[in-house]
Amino acid sequence: MNLFRYFRARRACLLAFALAVAGAPALAGSSGSATIHSSQGSLELHSSGNGVYVAVSKPSSYWSYASGDQIASVAGRPVRTPEDIFSILRATSASTVDSVVSRSGTTLSVTLKVYNYRSSMPPAPPPPPPPPGA
């Protein structure tokens, strides 16, 4: 019986450690990467310490980003995750928005065609549940 309690306690500690290492945002549905596809090509984005990294952009003329770009902001708002970009594009009524990127060490402003993204990006995440007793 003592051996059973020992392993059960260790399993709980390991689970807590794994959740702490994985990070709560991933559990809450906030993704650190996203790939979107259209009939024109695909775009793969990853969160990084300095914004959002463009891993793949094919063709770059459709998405306005090039592979290797580091996206700092979209429509004047800083971005940290691909979902930040998608939520800004979902909320705008403009047909184009400007984005600031670092490309090969140079800071550039690129113009995104919102339609290209809206037709391909994932749906908005569900809202968080209300707090207990609300």
Side-chain angles (χ1 to χ4, degrees):
M1 188 75 141
N2 286 338
L3 190 58
F4 176 75
R5 287 185 188 154
Y6 173 82
F7 282 112
R8 187 170 66 182
R10 296 301 177 264
R11 184 179 63 189
C13 288
L14 287 173
L15 178 60
F17 176 76
L19 291 176
V21 169
L27 295 175
S30 169
S31 177
S33 64
T35 301
I36 56 176
H37 301 279
S38 79
S39 60
Q40 302 296 316
S42 62
L43 179 70
E44 184 178 333
L45 304 170
H46 298 282
S47 296
S48 71
N50 300 324
V52 178
Y53 175 75
V54 179
V56 176
S57 178
K58 295 182 181 177
S60 59
S61 60
Y62 182 77
W63 302 109
S64 301
Y65 294 125
S67 298
D69 281 357
Q70 189 72 34
I71 306 167
S73 67
V74 174
R77 294 176 50 196
V79 294
R80 294 178 40 174
T81 67
E83 183 53 40
D84 291 345
I85 296 170
F86 300 150
S87 65
I88 292 167
L89 294 176
R90 282 186 203 103
T92 188
S93 60
S95 61
T96 62
V97 294
D98 289 330
S99 178
V100 175
V101 301
S102 175
R103 181 178 297 164
S104 302
T106 304
T107 301
L108 304 170
S109 178
V110 297
T111 301
L112 307 180
K113 297 174 188 162
V114 176
Y115 175 78
N116 292 355
Y117 288 83
R118 280 204 182 133
S119 61
S120 309
M121 63 188 174

